[in-house]
Amino acid sequence: MNSNVSVKKKTNVRKLVIVGVLSGVSIMLSLTPLGYIPIGPLNLTIMHIPVIIGAIIEGPLVGMMIGFMFGMTSLVRAFVAPTVISFVLMNPLISVLPRVIMGIATYYVYTILNKMISKEKVSLAITGVVGSLMNTVGVLGSIYLLYGQKYVEAIGKTGSAGKIIGMIAVTNGLPEAILAGVIVSSVVVILKKTNKF
């Protein structure tokens, strides 16, 4: 009985440590240029990757908590260091909710793929891609539904909100998803090899 309590306590402490460490990484990435990787004309964000990794290695609750911290960082930054598009991120339905959902859903995507695909590195890579796309679709989809044309005007474009936001999703979202797949599969494989997870 005591050993079960001890194991449960160790597990809870480990989950809290992982939430703390990965939330810290996510916050650092969002507050510094380290969160963006320039590839050609694009600046690809990797700020959502700690959420995906946390969900895979520790489950949906941890993914949700790291996603919440990532979202709160976006929300706070929108108020503290506003830009022309910060008004959309001042709405927690855009800055926080999609990141929380991504953190939960990513775990279940990984669980299903891991049962279907024999090579874990492949299931991890696909999970990274899907998790990243969930973030892109969640944030940009919410922007389209709640602000649409106002957002398009704020970024200095003219034309249909659906087309312009869709183009942003394709030009940034797809390369970010591929990058997430590579990073997530590599990092999680290394973590699992240390026998800590």
Side-chain angles (χ1 to χ4, degrees):
M1 184 75 175
N2 285 343
S3 66
N4 284 344
V5 171
S6 176
V7 167
K8 192 172 180 182
K9 199 171 180 182
K10 276 184 184 175
T11 302
N12 288 339
V13 168
R14 187 178 82 171
K15 282 183 189 290
L16 283 173
V17 168
I18 288 167
V19 168
V21 169
L22 290 177
S23 293
V25 169
S26 188
I27 291 166
M28 180 196 68
L29 291 174
S30 22
L31 297 177
T32 68
L34 296 173
Y36 297 93
I37 295 179
I39 297 178
L42 302 174
N43 271 316
L44 306 182
T45 182
I46 57 170
M47 292 179 270
H48 54 292
I49 290 175
V51 181
I52 299 168
I53 292 170
I56 290 170
I57 62 177
E58 282 299 335
L61 182 60
V62 168
M64 179 189 80
M65 290 166 78
I66 302 167
F68 176 77
M69 290 304 295
F70 169 35
M72 286 303 295
T73 305
S74 295
L75 180 66
V76 170
R77 192 174 182 186
F79 284 99
V80 174
T83 66
V84 292
I85 59 161
S86 290
F87 69 93
V88 299
L89 295 171
M90 289 174 182
N91 185 338
L93 293 176
I94 293 172
S95 55
V96 180
L97 186 61
R99 277 71 186 261
V100 169
I101 292 169
M102 173 190 61
I104 297 166
T106 297
Y107 169 77
Y108 294 105
V109 168
Y110 170 68
T111 304
I112 291 164
L113 288 172
N114 208 28
K115 287 177 183 169
M116 293 168 52
I117 300 168
S118 58
K119 291 192 174 184
E120 188 177 30
K121 194 157 185 179
V122 175
S123 63
L124 287 168
I126 297 171
T127 302
V129 169
V130 173
S132 182
L133 289 174
M134 281 192 278
N135 180 58
T136 300
V137 170
V139 172
L140 289 177
S142 301
I143 289 172
Y144 172 70
L145 291 173
L146 297 173
Y147 296 101
Q149 208 61 40
K150 190 178 175 187
Y151 172 78
V152 168
E153 288 164 13
I155 61 172
K157 303 280 185 188
T158 54
S160 157
K163 278 186 184 176
I164 290 164
I165 293 172
M167 280 299 282
I168 294 168
V170 171
T171 56
N172 276 36
L174 289 179
E176 283 173 3
I178 293 164
L179 184 62
V182 172
I183 294 172
V184 167
S185 61
S186 303
V187 170
V188 175
V189 165
I190 290 166
L191 289 173
K192 290 194 172 195
K193 278 182 182 171
T194 65
N195 296 318
K196 303 273 182 196
F197 302 98

